[in-house]
Amino acid sequence: MQHGPAVRRRKLGAELRALRAGSGLTSGEAARLLGWHQSKVSRIETGTSGVKPGDVERLLDAYGVEDPELRELLVVLAGSKGNGRHHWWHAYRGVLPATYRDFISLESGASDMRTLETSVVPGLLQTPEYARAVTRAAVGGLEESRLDALVEVRLARQDVLRSDPPLRLSAVLDEAVLRREVEGPEVMARQLGRLCESATLPQVRLQVLPFRAGAHIGVTGPFVIFSFPTTSDLDVVVLDHLTSSLYLEQKEDLQAYAEAFDALQFHALSPEDSLDYIAGIADGA
């Protein structure tokens, strides 16, 4: 099982290795240019050790990389800020599991997020009351102070939809997400209203997979696909489990999940019909 930091290190290392090769330098020559040992370059390229953002910038300078979007992306993968989205979640280190921090890091650095949800509303579209209820249910026995902090994090994550540039979110929601009553009809009515508002945002594409669609490829469970600017080689699929998250980075896995998401979108209602469908359920709530 690969976790967030390991995935990012490997992807960053592979990209730096390709850029070095494209510049015509050997790893030894690159090391000499920067006054490093060759082993340092090798460790970075294989992902066995992390690399500081400043060192990434020095490598990119040595390789003659001028593309500002590519430079920013690789610095983001090294752990610096990017896309105007600061590492605000560091303030919550004491209450966030490592896998959750990794997820937020990927979410903050990504340009696009595709997600299938089969049980709950995506975190980026939740109201405070809904977020509190599902957090309490998912993590039992929480003290109120820790619950408060986790809800704050859930709501702060939503800033990626308002950043410059914003994260582009494509979500397919199984109808069960809309029908499952969380914390009573009033909370659900407000949550459905929030979904309708969110569906009108240009950076959000929201589709409903109605019950009448029958069995579909998403019945195996929810998943998230993160895509990054400039290159698809950095895409990551995230599968959540009760106690951990699984990060998939192999091309065959990425292709399979991308095709699955395309199929789900095909069988789901159009964004316009989905908006009407959600509004209809809200009116009947």
Side-chain angles (χ1 to χ4, degrees):
M1 179 181 297
Q2 290 294 327
H3 294 285
V7 170
R8 292 197 298 277
R9 284 199 305 268
R10 287 180 56 178
K11 289 184 174 294
L12 175 59
E15 189 70 13
L16 290 172
R17 182 169 61 251
L19 291 170
R20 174 183 57 73
S23 72
L25 294 173
T26 66
S27 59
E29 289 168 340
R32 284 193 293 274
L33 277 175
L34 298 173
W36 297 348
H37 292 294
Q38 182 178 357
S39 60
K40 178 174 180 177
V41 175
S42 297
R43 288 195 305 272
I44 291 171
E45 291 185 353
T46 57
T48 55
S49 69
V51 55
K52 296 178 180 178
D55 285 343
V56 169
E57 292 180 332
R58 292 182 65 193
L59 286 167
L60 297 177
D61 289 340
Y63 303 157
V65 178
E66 298 180 355
D67 183 336
E69 288 189 358
L70 178 57
R71 291 182 67 100
E72 181 185 31
L73 172 60
L74 297 181
V75 170
V76 168
L77 288 176
S80 185
K81 62 187 180 184
N83 292 336
R85 307 169 194 159
H86 297 262
H87 284 188
W88 53 268
W89 60 90
H90 286 181
Y92 296 90
R93 279 184 174 274
V95 297
L96 296 181
T99 53
Y100 193 15
R101 294 198 302 268
D102 297 338
F103 183 90
I104 296 173
S105 177
L106 289 170
E107 185 177 74
S108 296
S111 59
D112 295 84
M113 176 179 174
R114 287 167 284 175
T115 181
L116 166 69
E117 290 291 349
T118 58
S119 298
V120 297
V121 170
L124 296 182
L125 304 178
Q126 292 177 4
T127 63
E129 304 99 321
Y130 187 98
R132 189 174 191 86
V134 296
T135 300
R136 184 189 291 114
V139 188
L142 281 177
E143 296 179 358
E144 283 299 306
S145 59
R146 188 158 184 259
L147 178 60
D148 290 342
L150 289 174
V151 173
E152 285 179 18
V153 169
R154 180 69 56 92
L155 300 178
R157 284 174 47 205
Q158 298 175 1
D159 285 344
V160 295
L161 295 176
R162 297 183 289 273
S163 60
D164 184 20
L167 175 74
R168 292 185 293 269
L169 173 65
S170 295
V172 174
L173 308 184
D174 190 278
E175 185 173 342
V177 172
L178 310 176
R179 299 288 184 183
R180 177 170 287 104
E181 188 173 291
V182 174
E183 202 70 4
E186 291 185 2
V187 169
M188 278 306 299
R190 285 192 290 270
Q191 178 60 74
L192 293 174
R194 169 68 65 83
L195 285 176
C196 290
E197 293 172 8
S198 301
T200 64
L201 296 173
Q203 65 271 35
V204 175
R205 179 184 175 91
L206 193 61
Q207 293 180 258
V208 173
L209 195 63
F211 287 147
R212 65 174 180 265
H216 54 77
I217 198 167
V219 296
T220 54
F223 61 86
V224 175
I225 307 172
F226 287 117
S227 297
F228 296 84
T230 306
T231 174
S232 62
D233 289 342
L234 300 172
D235 289 3
V236 179
V237 174
V238 184
L239 307 177
D240 272 336
H241 301 288
L242 183 61
T243 58
S244 64
S245 295
L246 178 63
Y247 294 79
L248 305 177
E249 57 176 325
Q250 298 300 319
K251 287 187 177 181
E252 56 269 26
D253 292 326
L254 293 168
Q255 181 177 350
Y257 277 91
E259 291 175 354
F261 193 79
D262 289 344
L264 290 164
Q265 287 189 310
F266 177 80
H267 291 290
L269 301 175
S270 70
E272 296 76 18
D273 289 343
S274 294
L275 181 57
D276 291 340
Y277 204 79
I278 295 170
I281 293 175
D283 290 340

